Amino acid sequence: MDDTPPPATHDLGGAPRFRCTPVDPDDEAPPDAFGKRVDAIRQILARKGLLTVDEMRRGIEALPEAEYHALGYYERWLRSISGIMAEKGVIGAEDLRP
Amino acid sequence: MAAPPTGDSIALLERFVAALAARGIVSEEEIATQIERTDRASPEIGARMVARAWTDPAYRALLLRDGTAAAEQMGVSMAGAPPLGVLEDSATLHHLVVCTLCSCYPRMVLGYPPHWYKSAAYRARAVRDPRGVLAEWGTVLPDGVGVRVVDSTADYRWMVLPQRPAGTEGWDETRLASIVTRDHLVGVALPSAA
Amino acid sequence: MTFQPGQPVRVKRDFPELRGPCHIRTPHYLRGLDGTIERPLGSFANPEDLAFARPAAKVPLYHVRFDQPSLFNEGAKGDTLLVEIFEHWLEAR
């Protein structure tokens, strides 16, 4: 009996689902203003000792699979970072609610 | 392709920024300064490091021993950045860098990662069918060259030191740097004199 | 430092994912596989603790080399894979 669980969503090495998906060398898509803003906030929070890269990764890894693949790269970052800042009490959870 | 952020994401970002600002944690000015600083990193830095390693044996030795120190020597501030590791191609070995778990990338010397590097297809396939991935770039390795895939899983960020191409004898550092691109430093393509 | 360059090792066949929330830097596709120590890379705070803002001890990190074609029964003979793996995920073989 094989008790091996399936890989987590983010753990993509060798994933059969993408085995036949082409990689497009021309797909550069440099970050837009949104992405640059999220990226800058991440770096500032890290420098201030409020966030480690592993905390951010853990937050990204906790995203449900459909959301993980539907969200843009920096949108995943934002979900993770803002959630972790609320979790740690750096900001209030209510601050993020519409 | 990268889709633009949703309205929900844009609204969440602005609420997040407002909360951080209200608590005196991050200001708009700090964000602007940080973006400016991050924008300054580009593959030209990595290309200059490679060109110098091709012409200066002492620098090459430093680059391979301590990529962080080698980057500092080129004027890059590496404070707070993850350590930089550099892997040297040879006549029998070619490196290809991927991060299957997220998208670790030597941003200090290459700038923002391109979208394809972060794509699920690249992350899934590079460790499974590396030569198939290279073929997407039209890269075919000479006979007798083995591929070494580098899955960047932990604390280092990896850059490739490609082989200096034939036909570049006598070139100065500036000219050498001009033929080295981001793709060569990730390992999906090989530099050439043409 | 427990392992030396050239030493044969095995990645632990462990799946902490089954035991609750976790953050691990050992890819799923390598669990239980045999590799060879390429070289030590220094010691770094354990990401499995850092991810939860817990006190994190420094753990030796190694570059470990694997045969690439045997990972997925695909690829070209002689190709290899190099991966950073923390010491607590490795056992001697």
Side-chain angles (χ1 to χ4, degrees):
Chain A
M1 200 182 88
D2 188 2
D3 60 349
T4 308
T9 301
H10 70 279
D11 196 341
L12 283 170
R17 176 177 170 187
F18 299 102
R19 195 174 158 202
C20 298
T21 310
V23 181
D24 178 3
D26 295 322
D27 189 6
E28 293 279 331
D32 55 13
F34 172 89
K36 287 187 178 188
R37 236 162 125 68
V38 173
D39 180 75
I41 294 167
R42 173 193 67 87
Q43 293 188 67
I44 296 165
L45 292 174
R47 201 169 50 237
K48 294 189 176 187
L50 295 167
L51 175 76
T52 63
V53 65
D54 291 291
E55 286 177 293
M56 180 174 88
R57 288 166 173 164
R58 190 245 306 168
I60 294 170
E61 290 162 14
L63 292 170
E65 182 164 8
E67 209 175 328
Y68 184 90
H69 289 297
L71 288 172
Y73 184 70
Y74 294 102
E75 288 178 289
R76 282 181 221 153
W77 283 26
L78 173 64
R79 294 291 192 289
S80 169
I81 299 170
S82 60
I84 285 174
M85 287 305 103
E87 173 191 304
K88 294 173 88 169
V90 174
I91 58 170
E94 70 285 356
D95 293 338
L96 299 176
R97 285 187 209 115
Chain B
M1 289 299 293
T6 63
D8 280 359
S9 293
I10 292 167
L12 174 61
L13 175 58
E14 292 325 309
R15 282 194 296 276
F16 185 39
V17 170
L20 291 169
R23 289 165 195 253
I25 298 158
V26 178
S27 69
E28 283 289 356
E29 200 183 352
E30 280 176 292
I31 295 174
T33 306
Q34 185 63 51
I35 290 174
E36 223 171 88
R37 193 185 305 170
T38 308
D39 278 346
R40 280 203 290 270
S42 82
E44 283 164 32
I45 299 170
R48 276 169 46 219
M49 291 166 71
V50 164
R52 188 154 168 206
W54 283 345
T55 53
D56 176 348
Y59 185 77
R60 174 181 158 275
L62 174 67
L63 184 66
L64 296 174
R65 188 176 68 246
D66 185 346
T68 301
E72 293 269 9
Q73 221 179 77
M74 298 299 269
V76 181
S77 169
M78 299 290 282
L84 175 67
V86 179
L87 298 158
E88 186 181 35
D89 280 3
S90 73
T92 54
L93 187 64
H94 173 69
H95 294 88
L96 172 70
V97 180
V98 62
C99 171
T100 63
L101 295 174
C102 41
S103 52
C104 298
Y105 189 76
R107 298 167 52 122
M108 313 74 73
V109 292
L110 293 191
Y112 295 106
H115 189 253
W116 57 258
Y117 185 85
K118 306 177 284 186
S119 70
Y122 183 75
R123 289 164 54 195
R125 289 179 51 209
V127 292
R128 180 168 190 140
D129 176 26
R131 288 173 189 261
V133 169
L134 290 176
E136 307 255 21
W137 271 262
T139 301
V140 179
L141 300 174
D143 283 347
V145 178
V147 174
R148 179 160 293 175
V149 183
V150 181
D151 190 354
S152 187
T153 51
D155 288 73
Y156 279 78
R157 301 295 177 267
W158 300 101
M159 182 177 95
V160 178
L161 171 57
Q163 283 209 288
R164 180 171 172 169
T168 59
E169 295 75 17
W171 289 23
D172 67 12
E173 258 183 65
T174 309
R175 193 167 173 206
L176 286 169
S178 73
I179 59 164
V180 179
T181 69
R182 191 262 331 277
D183 290 354
H184 307 142
L185 303 169
V186 177
V188 288
L190 301 175
S192 73
Chain C
M1 196 175 78
T2 309
F3 301 111
Q4 304 298 323
Q7 191 173 339
V9 289
R10 177 167 297 146
V11 181
K12 284 184 186 161
R13 196 180 174 286
D14 188 23
F15 299 95
E17 299 96 320
L18 293 172
R19 301 193 288 273
C22 62
H23 167 74
I24 31 187
R25 301 304 294 175
T26 306
H28 186 282
Y29 71 90
L30 287 177
R31 316 265 178 92
L33 297 193
D34 291 352
T36 306
I37 299 287
E38 179 82 7
R39 64 181 176 117
L41 293 170
S43 289
F44 295 89
N46 189 344
E48 296 167 20
D49 291 317
L50 281 180
F52 294 88
R54 299 189 292 249
K58 286 202 169 187
V59 183
L61 183 70
Y62 297 89
H63 239 171
V64 184
R65 191 176 69 246
F66 298 85
D67 178 56
Q68 191 276 326
S70 59
L71 298 173
F72 302 99
N73 292 314
E74 264 180 59
K77 189 170 181 293
D79 285 354
T80 50
L81 170 84
L82 205 52
V83 186
E84 293 147 87
I85 302 183
F86 283 96
E87 185 170 272
H88 60 282
W89 273 91
L90 296 172
E91 50 201 17
R93 65 176 166 93

